[in-house]
Amino acid sequence: MATAGKLMRAIRVFEFGGPEVLKLRSDVAVPIPKDHQVLIKVHACGVNPVETYIRSGTYRRKPLLPYTPGSDVAGIIEAIGENVSTFKKGDRVFTTATISGGYAEYALASDHTVYILPEKLDLKQGAAIGIPYFTAYRALLHSARAKAGESVLVHGASGGVGIAACQIARAYGLKVLGTAGTEEGQNLVLQNGAHEVFNHRELNYIDKIKKSVGEKGIDVIIEMLANVNLSNDLDLLSYGGRVIVVGSRGPIEINPRDTIPKETSIIGTALYSSTKEEFRKFAMALQAGMEIGWLKPVIGPQYSLEKVVQAHENIIHSSGAIGKMILLLE
Protein backbone atom coordinates (compact mmCIF):
# COMPACT_ATOMS: atom_id res chain seq x y z
CA MET A 1 0.00 0.00 0.00
CA ALA A 2 1.36 3.40 -1.00
CA THR A 3 0.55 4.88 2.39
CA ALA A 4 2.65 2.47 4.45
CA GLY A 5 5.15 4.29 6.65
CA LYS A 6 4.10 7.80 5.59
CA LEU A 7 3.69 10.55 8.18
CA MET A 8 1.29 13.49 8.18
CA ARG A 9 0.36 16.60 10.11
CA ALA A 10 -2.73 16.22 12.27
CA ILE A 11 -4.35 17.74 15.34
CA ARG A 12 -4.19 15.38 18.32
CA VAL A 13 -6.06 15.60 21.62
CA PHE A 14 -4.30 13.78 24.49
CA GLU A 15 -6.59 15.06 27.30
CA PHE A 16 -10.03 16.64 27.49
CA GLY A 17 -10.13 20.37 28.22
CA GLY A 18 -10.14 23.84 26.66
CA PRO A 19 -9.04 24.71 23.11
CA GLU A 20 -5.41 24.61 24.23
CA VAL A 21 -5.52 20.77 24.34
CA LEU A 22 -5.59 20.74 20.51
CA LYS A 23 -1.98 19.89 19.58
CA LEU A 24 -0.55 20.05 16.06
CA ARG A 25 1.73 17.05 15.45
CA SER A 26 3.75 16.27 12.33
CA ASP A 27 4.64 12.68 13.24
CA VAL A 28 1.23 11.04 12.86
CA ALA A 29 1.11 7.88 10.74
CA VAL A 30 -1.04 8.08 7.61
CA PRO A 31 -3.74 5.43 8.11
CA ILE A 32 -4.12 2.51 5.70
CA PRO A 33 -7.67 1.74 4.44
CA LYS A 34 -9.07 -1.66 5.31
CA ASP A 35 -12.22 -3.44 4.13
CA HIS A 36 -14.92 -0.95 2.96
CA GLN A 37 -12.71 2.03 3.84
CA VAL A 38 -11.19 4.86 1.81
CA LEU A 39 -8.26 7.19 2.49
CA ILE A 40 -8.91 10.83 1.58
CA LYS A 41 -6.30 13.53 1.02
CA VAL A 42 -8.02 16.33 2.93
CA HIS A 43 -8.33 19.76 1.30
CA ALA A 44 -10.71 21.23 3.89
CA CYS A 45 -12.54 20.14 7.05
CA GLY A 46 -15.62 21.71 8.61
CA VAL A 47 -15.43 22.95 12.21
CA ASN A 48 -18.66 22.26 14.15
CA PRO A 49 -19.70 23.32 17.67
CA VAL A 50 -20.14 19.66 18.68
CA GLU A 51 -16.39 19.17 18.23
CA THR A 52 -15.74 21.71 21.00
CA TYR A 53 -18.12 19.84 23.34
CA ILE A 54 -16.41 16.50 22.59
CA ARG A 55 -12.96 18.07 23.11
CA SER A 56 -14.02 19.49 26.49
CA GLY A 57 -15.11 16.03 27.72
CA THR A 58 -18.65 17.24 28.52
CA TYR A 59 -20.38 15.52 25.60
CA ARG A 60 -22.18 12.20 25.98
CA ARG A 61 -19.92 10.58 23.36
CA LYS A 62 -16.31 10.49 24.51
CA PRO A 63 -13.67 9.25 22.07
CA LEU A 64 -10.74 7.17 23.29
CA LEU A 65 -7.69 9.37 23.86
CA PRO A 66 -5.64 10.38 21.99
CA TYR A 67 -7.83 11.26 19.02
CA THR A 68 -8.10 13.66 16.06
CA PRO A 69 -11.35 15.70 15.84
CA GLY A 70 -13.36 16.34 12.70
CA SER A 71 -16.01 14.52 10.68
CA ASP A 72 -16.77 16.73 7.65
CA VAL A 73 -13.87 16.52 5.21
CA ALA A 74 -13.68 17.23 1.51
CA GLY A 75 -10.82 16.11 -0.66
CA ILE A 76 -9.51 13.58 -3.14
CA ILE A 77 -9.49 9.82 -2.68
CA GLU A 78 -5.89 8.72 -2.22
CA ALA A 79 -6.40 4.98 -1.75
CA ILE A 80 -9.22 2.45 -1.33
CA GLY A 81 -9.45 -0.69 0.78
CA GLU A 82 -10.85 -4.09 -0.13
CA ASN A 83 -14.47 -4.35 -1.38
CA VAL A 84 -14.85 -0.67 -2.22
CA SER A 85 -16.70 -0.47 -5.54
CA THR A 86 -18.28 2.99 -5.41
CA PHE A 87 -15.08 5.05 -5.45
CA LYS A 88 -11.69 5.12 -7.13
CA LYS A 89 -8.45 6.98 -6.56
CA GLY A 90 -8.78 10.61 -7.68
CA ASP A 91 -12.52 11.02 -6.96
CA ARG A 92 -13.62 14.33 -5.38
CA VAL A 93 -15.60 13.48 -2.25
CA PHE A 94 -17.07 14.75 1.01
CA THR A 95 -17.91 12.87 4.22
CA THR A 96 -20.43 12.84 7.06
CA ALA A 97 -18.03 10.98 9.38
CA THR A 98 -14.42 9.85 9.57
CA ILE A 99 -12.72 7.01 11.38
CA SER A 100 -9.35 8.67 11.98
CA GLY A 101 -10.44 12.33 12.30
CA GLY A 102 -10.68 15.17 9.82
CA TYR A 103 -8.32 17.80 11.28
CA ALA A 104 -5.47 16.14 9.39
CA GLU A 105 -3.78 15.94 5.99
CA TYR A 106 -5.31 12.50 5.38
CA ALA A 107 -8.50 10.99 6.77
CA LEU A 108 -9.82 7.44 6.81
CA ALA A 109 -13.58 6.96 6.32
CA SER A 110 -16.03 4.08 5.88
CA ASP A 111 -17.27 4.01 2.29
CA HIS A 112 -20.93 4.41 3.34
CA THR A 113 -20.12 7.82 4.92
CA VAL A 114 -18.45 9.13 1.75
CA TYR A 115 -20.22 10.89 -1.16
CA ILE A 116 -19.16 12.16 -4.57
CA LEU A 117 -18.89 15.97 -4.63
CA PRO A 118 -20.52 17.43 -7.77
CA GLU A 119 -18.24 19.55 -9.96
CA LYS A 120 -20.32 22.70 -9.41
CA LEU A 121 -19.24 22.80 -5.73
CA ASP A 122 -15.62 23.42 -4.74
CA LEU A 123 -13.77 21.49 -2.03
CA LYS A 124 -14.25 24.25 0.56
CA GLN A 125 -18.00 23.97 0.05
CA GLY A 126 -17.69 20.19 0.26
CA ALA A 127 -16.36 20.54 3.82
CA ALA A 128 -19.46 22.57 4.75
CA ILE A 129 -22.06 19.93 3.83
CA GLY A 130 -21.79 17.04 6.33
CA ILE A 131 -23.08 17.95 9.78
CA PRO A 132 -24.81 21.24 8.77
CA TYR A 133 -26.94 19.97 5.87
CA PHE A 134 -27.65 16.48 7.16
CA THR A 135 -28.62 17.93 10.57
CA ALA A 136 -30.84 20.60 9.02
CA TYR A 137 -32.52 18.02 6.77
CA ARG A 138 -33.10 15.64 9.69
CA ALA A 139 -34.46 18.45 11.88
CA LEU A 140 -36.86 19.84 9.26
CA LEU A 141 -38.11 16.81 7.38
CA HIS A 142 -37.57 13.87 9.74
CA SER A 143 -38.06 15.33 13.23
CA ALA A 144 -40.48 18.19 12.45
CA ARG A 145 -42.14 16.49 9.45
CA ALA A 146 -42.41 19.95 7.92
CA LYS A 147 -44.70 20.27 4.91
CA ALA A 148 -44.98 22.71 2.02
CA GLY A 149 -47.11 25.68 3.02
CA GLU A 150 -46.07 25.58 6.69
CA SER A 151 -43.98 28.33 8.29
CA VAL A 152 -40.56 27.78 9.83
CA LEU A 153 -38.46 30.07 12.02
CA VAL A 154 -34.74 29.30 11.94
CA HIS A 155 -33.55 30.73 15.25
CA GLY A 156 -29.89 31.50 14.58
CA ALA A 157 -29.94 31.28 10.80
CA SER A 158 -26.60 32.75 9.68
CA GLY A 159 -24.30 29.86 10.68
CA GLY A 160 -23.70 26.53 8.95
CA VAL A 161 -26.82 24.66 10.11
CA GLY A 162 -28.97 27.81 9.91
CA ILE A 163 -28.16 28.59 6.29
CA ALA A 164 -28.64 24.93 5.40
CA ALA A 165 -32.07 24.95 7.09
CA CYS A 166 -33.12 28.11 5.20
CA GLN A 167 -32.07 26.67 1.83
CA ILE A 168 -33.77 23.31 2.45
CA ALA A 169 -36.97 24.86 3.85
CA ARG A 170 -37.29 27.24 0.88
CA ALA A 171 -36.68 24.41 -1.60
CA TYR A 172 -39.40 22.34 0.06
CA GLY A 173 -42.02 25.08 -0.15
CA LEU A 174 -42.12 26.47 3.40
CA LYS A 175 -42.47 30.11 4.43
CA VAL A 176 -39.04 30.82 5.91
CA LEU A 177 -38.24 33.28 8.70
CA GLY A 178 -34.74 33.59 10.11
CA THR A 179 -32.88 35.46 12.83
CA ALA A 180 -29.30 36.74 12.91
CA GLY A 181 -27.35 39.08 15.18
CA THR A 182 -25.55 41.28 12.65
CA GLU A 183 -26.54 43.20 9.52
CA GLU A 184 -24.17 41.06 7.45
CA GLY A 185 -25.75 37.92 8.93
CA GLN A 186 -29.26 39.16 8.20
CA ASN A 187 -28.39 39.89 4.56
CA LEU A 188 -26.86 36.42 4.23
CA VAL A 189 -30.03 34.80 5.59
CA LEU A 190 -32.19 36.70 3.08
CA GLN A 191 -29.87 35.68 0.23
CA ASN A 192 -30.19 32.01 1.20
CA GLY A 193 -33.89 31.35 1.23
CA ALA A 194 -35.51 33.36 4.03
CA HIS A 195 -38.57 35.44 3.17
CA GLU A 196 -38.04 37.60 6.27
CA VAL A 197 -35.23 38.11 8.76
CA PHE A 198 -35.13 39.52 12.30
CA ASN A 199 -32.29 40.77 14.50
CA HIS A 200 -32.25 38.61 17.64
CA ARG A 201 -30.17 41.27 19.41
CA GLU A 202 -33.06 43.73 19.32
CA LEU A 203 -35.05 43.75 22.56
CA ASN A 204 -38.43 43.65 20.82
CA TYR A 205 -37.62 41.22 18.01
CA ILE A 206 -40.06 38.58 19.33
CA ASP A 207 -42.88 41.15 19.07
CA LYS A 208 -41.84 41.86 15.48
CA ILE A 209 -42.01 38.14 14.64
CA LYS A 210 -45.47 37.90 16.27
CA LYS A 211 -46.65 40.88 14.26
CA SER A 212 -45.36 39.32 11.07
CA VAL A 213 -46.95 35.87 11.54
CA GLY A 214 -50.19 37.07 13.15
CA GLU A 215 -52.54 35.04 15.33
CA LYS A 216 -51.69 31.69 13.77
CA GLY A 217 -48.10 31.56 15.00
CA ILE A 218 -45.22 29.52 13.58
CA ASP A 219 -45.51 25.83 12.68
CA VAL A 220 -41.86 24.81 13.12
CA ILE A 221 -38.93 26.44 14.95
CA ILE A 222 -35.41 25.15 14.31
CA GLU A 223 -33.62 26.16 17.52
CA MET A 224 -29.82 26.54 17.69
CA LEU A 225 -29.61 28.03 21.21
CA ALA A 226 -32.43 26.55 23.27
CA ASN A 227 -30.96 27.63 26.63
CA VAL A 228 -31.67 31.25 25.59
CA ASN A 229 -34.72 31.00 23.33
CA LEU A 230 -36.91 28.03 24.30
CA SER A 231 -39.39 29.90 26.48
CA ASN A 232 -39.98 32.52 23.74
CA ASP A 233 -40.23 29.74 21.15
CA LEU A 234 -43.17 28.14 22.98
CA ASP A 235 -44.97 31.48 22.89
CA LEU A 236 -44.48 31.80 19.12
CA LEU A 237 -45.78 28.39 18.05
CA SER A 238 -49.00 27.68 16.18
CA TYR A 239 -51.52 25.01 17.17
CA GLY A 240 -49.63 21.71 16.90
CA GLY A 241 -46.39 23.61 16.40
CA ARG A 242 -43.06 22.05 17.25
CA VAL A 243 -39.67 23.30 18.38
CA ILE A 244 -36.77 21.20 17.14
CA VAL A 245 -33.79 21.61 19.47
CA VAL A 246 -30.59 21.40 17.43
CA GLY A 247 -28.33 23.13 19.96
CA SER A 248 -28.29 24.17 23.61
CA ARG A 249 -25.43 25.37 25.80
CA GLY A 250 -26.97 25.12 29.24
CA PRO A 251 -30.24 24.93 31.20
CA ILE A 252 -33.29 27.16 30.87
CA GLU A 253 -36.47 27.51 32.94
CA ILE A 254 -39.68 27.03 30.98
CA ASN A 255 -43.30 26.62 32.01
CA PRO A 256 -44.53 23.22 30.69
CA ARG A 257 -48.07 24.64 30.80
CA ASP A 258 -47.13 26.74 27.75
CA THR A 259 -47.28 23.55 25.66
CA ILE A 260 -50.85 22.66 26.69
CA PRO A 261 -53.26 25.16 25.06
CA LYS A 262 -51.84 24.71 21.56
CA GLU A 263 -50.67 21.08 22.03
CA THR A 264 -47.13 21.96 21.02
CA SER A 265 -44.03 19.76 21.12
CA ILE A 266 -40.37 20.16 22.03
CA ILE A 267 -38.30 17.61 20.09
CA GLY A 268 -34.56 17.09 20.29
CA THR A 269 -32.68 16.05 17.16
CA ALA A 270 -29.28 14.36 16.90
CA LEU A 271 -27.79 13.56 13.52
CA TYR A 272 -26.01 10.48 14.82
CA SER A 273 -29.27 8.88 15.85
CA SER A 274 -29.86 8.44 12.10
CA THR A 275 -29.73 4.91 10.72
CA LYS A 276 -27.64 4.02 7.67
CA GLU A 277 -30.84 3.94 5.64
CA GLU A 278 -31.85 7.42 6.87
CA PHE A 279 -28.41 8.78 5.98
CA ARG A 280 -28.84 7.28 2.50
CA LYS A 281 -32.23 8.99 2.06
CA PHE A 282 -30.96 12.33 3.36
CA ALA A 283 -27.97 12.06 1.00
CA MET A 284 -30.19 11.42 -2.04
CA ALA A 285 -32.29 14.51 -1.28
CA LEU A 286 -29.22 16.67 -0.68
CA GLN A 287 -27.41 15.38 -3.79
CA ALA A 288 -30.49 16.49 -5.77
CA GLY A 289 -30.16 19.93 -4.16
CA MET A 290 -26.54 20.14 -5.28
CA GLU A 291 -27.41 19.11 -8.83
CA ILE A 292 -30.40 21.46 -9.13
CA GLY A 293 -28.51 24.28 -7.45
CA TRP A 294 -30.43 25.15 -4.27
CA LEU A 295 -27.81 23.55 -2.01
CA LYS A 296 -24.99 26.11 -1.95
CA PRO A 297 -22.86 26.15 1.22
CA VAL A 298 -21.69 29.59 2.30
CA ILE A 299 -18.11 29.56 3.58
CA GLY A 300 -17.36 31.72 6.61
CA PRO A 301 -14.12 31.99 8.60
CA GLN A 302 -11.18 29.90 7.31
CA TYR A 303 -8.25 28.74 9.44
CA SER A 304 -5.06 26.78 8.89
CA LEU A 305 -4.26 23.76 11.11
CA GLU A 306 -1.87 26.03 13.04
CA LYS A 307 -4.82 28.27 14.02
CA VAL A 308 -7.18 25.50 15.19
CA VAL A 309 -7.11 26.70 18.82
CA GLN A 310 -8.38 30.10 17.65
CA ALA A 311 -11.04 28.41 15.52
CA HIS A 312 -12.40 26.48 18.53
CA GLU A 313 -12.48 29.66 20.63
CA ASN A 314 -14.21 31.69 17.93
CA ILE A 315 -16.92 29.18 17.01
CA ILE A 316 -18.26 29.39 20.57
CA HIS A 317 -17.46 32.96 21.58
CA SER A 318 -17.50 35.10 18.41
CA SER A 319 -20.47 37.40 18.00
CA GLY A 320 -22.74 36.47 15.11
CA ALA A 321 -22.01 33.51 12.87
CA ILE A 322 -21.48 34.26 9.18
CA GLY A 323 -21.42 31.09 7.13
CA LYS A 324 -19.60 27.83 7.79
CA MET A 325 -16.25 27.73 9.58
CA ILE A 326 -13.63 25.49 7.95
CA LEU A 327 -10.02 24.41 8.34
CA LEU A 328 -7.92 24.59 5.17
CA LEU A 329 -5.27 21.92 4.69
CA GLU A 330 -3.93 23.06 1.31
Side-chain angles (χ1 to χ4, degrees):
M1 186 68 71
T3 52
K6 278 179 69 176
L7 298 178
M8 66 175 180
R9 296 189 314 143
I11 299 300
R12 301 293 279 163
V13 176
F14 296 92
E15 59 179 327
F16 296 115
E20 69 282 354
V21 304
L22 298 162
K23 304 294 184 189
L24 177 57
R25 302 293 292 261
S26 52
D27 58 352
V28 180
V30 174
I32 296 170
K34 300 189 177 75
D35 197 45
H36 287 291
Q37 294 177 354
V38 300
L39 182 70
I40 300 164
K41 186 177 195 313
V42 179
H43 283 245
C45 181
V47 180
N48 296 290
V50 69
E51 287 142 26
T52 71
Y53 312 148
I54 294 169
R55 183 214 69 228
S56 70
T58 58
Y59 198 62
R60 66 180 185 278
R61 284 189 295 129
K62 282 194 180 70
L64 290 172
L65 296 168
Y67 78 98
T68 295
S71 61
D72 298 356
V73 306
I76 309 295
I77 293 210
E78 178 80 7
I80 60 173
E82 297 289 325
N83 298 309
V84 175
S85 57
T86 327
F87 304 103
K88 63 185 185 303
K89 184 173 177 176
D91 283 347
R92 297 167 81 247
V93 294
F94 70 95
T95 67
T96 51
T98 64
I99 296 165
S100 60
Y103 295 10
E105 291 178 319
Y106 293 89
L108 196 63
S110 295
D111 58 1
H112 69 89
T113 64
V114 180
Y115 308 89
I116 293 289
L117 183 66
E119 285 298 328
K120 60 173 69 174
L121 296 183
D122 63 33
L123 288 163
K124 289 181 187 179
Q125 291 175 305
I129 298 168
I131 284 180
Y133 280 87
F134 282 72
T135 297
Y137 191 93
R138 182 175 179 85
L140 265 173
L141 294 153
H142 176 90
S143 303
R145 294 181 169 81
K147 295 179 179 63
E150 288 192 313
S151 57
V152 60
L153 171 66
V154 182
H155 220 155
S158 61
V161 179
I163 287 169
C166 288
Q167 291 178 356
I168 294 166
R170 185 64 180 258
Y172 279 78
L174 282 91
K175 183 184 181 192
V176 186
L177 291 75
T179 77
T182 65
E183 189 176 346
E184 188 184 356
Q186 289 172 70
N187 289 334
L188 195 61
V189 171
L190 285 174
Q191 289 157 17
N192 284 280
H195 294 89
E196 288 185 77
V197 69
F198 303 87
N199 183 344
H200 53 225
R201 297 233 167 102
E202 286 181 5
L203 286 175
N204 64 338
Y205 86 98
I206 294 290
D207 294 329
K208 288 185 176 177
I209 295 173
K210 282 182 177 174
K211 189 175 177 185
S212 170
V213 299
E215 285 292 303
K216 184 182 183 305
I218 296 164
D219 298 307
V220 175
I221 298 177
I222 304 297
E223 183 51 70
M224 311 301 168
L225 198 60
N227 56 298
V228 172
N229 299 322
L230 189 57
S231 188
N232 281 331
D233 289 344
L234 293 176
D235 194 32
L236 288 169
L237 288 175
S238 65
Y239 184 85
R242 47 270 186 223
V243 180
I244 309 300
V245 178
V246 171
S248 186
R249 295 182 184 169
I252 182 173
E253 185 172 315
I254 63 165
N255 186 347
R257 188 179 292 168
D258 292 342
T259 65
I260 295 171
K262 292 188 281 190
E263 296 193 321
T264 53
S265 310
I266 302 167
I267 303 167
T269 195
L271 178 58
Y272 289 101
S273 296
S274 308
T275 63
K276 257 191 203 183
E277 179 60 18
E278 285 167 350
F279 264 107
R280 193 184 68 79
K281 287 177 181 171
F282 302 165
M284 288 180 78
L286 295 172
Q287 289 277 13
M290 293 177 223
E291 289 159 14
I292 295 164
W294 58 253
L295 193 162
K296 285 186 291 207
V298 176
I299 301 306
Q302 302 173 40
Y303 297 85
S304 64
L305 272 188
E306 288 81 3
K307 302 283 189 195
V308 68
V309 171
Q310 193 65 52
H312 267 225
E313 284 174 356
N314 290 353
I315 199 166
I316 297 299
H317 299 298
S318 70
S319 59
I322 303 289
K324 176 77 186 107
M325 183 184 288
I326 61 168
L327 294 177
L328 280 180
L329 277 293
E330 290 297 299

